[in-house]
């Protein structure tokens, strides 16, 4: 005797008579899931796991070796995950979730550059060409993972319009989606090493050189450490902290500062 129900967690294939002991699927039994059911005895496959996404971060790249003369700054946009086994496979947009990367001026796009990182000829970035192509390393592009030469399959796009990104009229707004039939994506297959985080659990999503203020929203998706799909929508591009005096009473108050650096000079005859 035993449980003869094949969907039960204690199904006994040798049982010829059901003894009423079957334990049927009744909830999520994984304590790491967001919908873990403490009273569940048999997992029903309904477990939902938290997204491995931690946040976006913006870093600057030293572009002093370039020939820029208008205060251009080179930014790199990263997504941080909470697991080295999680992946980002796609930057996407659709009718209800637009994509926007904008600047108050224009993006720098090198004549030998590309819209995605791994299309750029890596040979031209070597030290032997530094004086010939000094601005190429600071070209503006999207990517998933930091690789000029992909370890396996190259990054590819579906339905993506790159024209505005290469615009020369200020302000430049690289907008995708938000209208009917506007689905588009930039993606890698999950087996690509570039979809996995670096040693800091971060994945590079793009590089943008501009003399203006960077802003926008993006959507990303991937796989968590269990191989389950996840996505994060309408993530705002973070702003770089500007150090200075943030005390409005100080003689050297900096209206553009977002991070107080302790330099404030308070009224004492100043």
């Amino acid at each position: 005797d035993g449980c003869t129900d094949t969907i039960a967690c204690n199904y006994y294939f040798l049982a010829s008579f059901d003894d009423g002991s079957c334990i049927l699927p009744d909830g999520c039994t994984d304590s790491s899931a967001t919908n873990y059911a403490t009273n569940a005895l048999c997992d029903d496959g309904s477990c939902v796991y938290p997204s491995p996404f931690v946040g976006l971060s913006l870093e600057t790249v030293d572009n002093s070796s370039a020939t820029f003369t208008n205060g251009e700054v080179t930014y790199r946009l990263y997504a941080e995950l909470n697991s080295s086994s999680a992946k980002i496979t796609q930057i996407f947009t659709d009718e209800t979730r637009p994509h926007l990367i904008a600047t108050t001026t224009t993006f720098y796009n090198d004549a030998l550059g590309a819209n995605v990182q791994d299309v750029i000829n890596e040979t031209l970035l070597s030290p032997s060409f530094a004086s010939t192509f000094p601005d190429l390393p600071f070209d503006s592009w999207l990517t998933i993972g930091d690789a000029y030469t992909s370890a396996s399959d190259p990054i590819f796009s579906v339905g993506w319009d790159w024209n505005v990104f290469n615009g020369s009229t200020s302000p430049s707004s690289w907008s995708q989606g938000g209208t009917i039939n506007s689905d588009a994506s930039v993606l890698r297959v999950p087996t690509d090493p570039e979809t996995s985080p670096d040693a800091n659990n971060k994945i590079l999503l793009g590089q943008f050189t501009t003399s203006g203020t960077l802003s926008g929203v993006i959507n990303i998706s991937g796989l968590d450490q269990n191989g389950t799909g996840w996505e994060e929508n309408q993530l705002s591009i973070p702003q770089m902290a500007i150090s200075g005096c943030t005390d409005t009473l100080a003689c050297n108050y900096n209206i553009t500062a977002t991070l107080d650096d302790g330099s404030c000079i308070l009224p004492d005859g100043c």
Side-chain angles (χ1 to χ4, degrees):
D1 295 348
C3 174
T4 60
D5 191 330
T6 57
I7 67 171
C9 288
N10 62 331
Y11 165 64
Y12 183 43
F13 73 99
L14 293 177
S16 57
F17 177 77
D18 194 286
D19 62 1
S21 66
C22 292
I23 302 174
L24 298 175
D26 59 351
C28 173
T29 61
D30 190 336
S31 60
S32 66
T34 57
N35 62 332
Y36 168 59
T38 56
N39 296 324
L41 299 176
C42 180
D43 197 279
D44 62 1
S46 67
C47 293
V48 177
Y49 296 93
S51 165
F53 176 75
V54 175
L56 296 179
S57 61
L58 205 60
E59 300 178 8
T60 57
V61 176
D62 181 5
N63 64 12
S64 59
S65 61
T67 62
F68 302 136
T69 58
N70 295 312
E72 287 87 346
V73 177
T74 300
Y75 302 95
R76 283 197 161 194
L77 178 66
Y78 292 87
E80 182 179 355
L81 305 181
N82 64 13
S83 170
S84 60
S85 300
K87 299 173 180 289
I88 293 177
T89 58
Q90 185 175 210
I91 301 172
F92 69 94
T93 182
D94 58 26
E95 296 179 13
T96 60
R97 295 169 292 184
H99 165 101
L100 174 68
I101 296 179
T103 176
T104 51
T105 56
T106 58
F107 295 107
Y108 174 68
N109 288 279
D110 196 272
L112 295 175
N115 296 317
V116 290
Q117 183 188 23
D118 67 10
V119 176
I120 297 173
N121 187 337
E122 189 169 14
T123 301
L124 301 182
L125 298 168
S126 64
S128 58
F129 286 98
S131 60
T132 307
F133 308 113
D135 299 339
L136 179 57
F138 313 108
D139 184 46
S140 299
W141 34 254
L142 272 185
T143 188
I144 298 175
D146 188 3
Y148 282 98
T149 301
S150 295
S152 54
D153 297 318
I155 195 170
F156 61 99
S157 63
V158 177
W160 211 271
D161 179 7
W162 303 98
N163 291 329
V164 179
F165 188 45
N166 296 310
S168 58
T169 302
S170 159
S172 181
S173 297
W174 184 26
S175 179
Q176 302 279 312
T179 59
I180 296 175
N181 298 325
S182 59
D183 294 15
S185 62
V186 175
L187 61 159
R188 289 189 187 276
V189 296
T191 54
D192 282 356
E194 289 82 10
T195 62
S196 298
D198 60 19
N200 298 311
N201 271 1
K202 293 184 176 183
I203 297 178
L204 181 63
L205 301 178
Q207 175 174 283
F208 314 101
T209 295
T210 178
S211 60
T213 301
L214 194 65
S215 63
V217 291
I218 66 169
N219 311 293
I220 56 177
S221 63
L223 301 174
D224 67 13
Q225 57 269 37
N226 300 301
T228 302
W230 63 271
E231 65 179 40
E232 294 286 340
N233 305 311
Q234 300 296 274
L235 301 169
S236 296
I237 304 297
Q239 297 297 307
M240 292 294 297
I242 301 174
S243 297
C245 174
T246 60
D247 190 333
T248 57
L249 298 177
C251 296
N252 61 331
Y253 167 61
N254 183 350
I255 193 172
T256 64
T258 58
L259 178 66
D260 196 287
D261 60 3
S263 65
C264 294
I265 302 173
L266 296 174
D268 62 351
C270 66

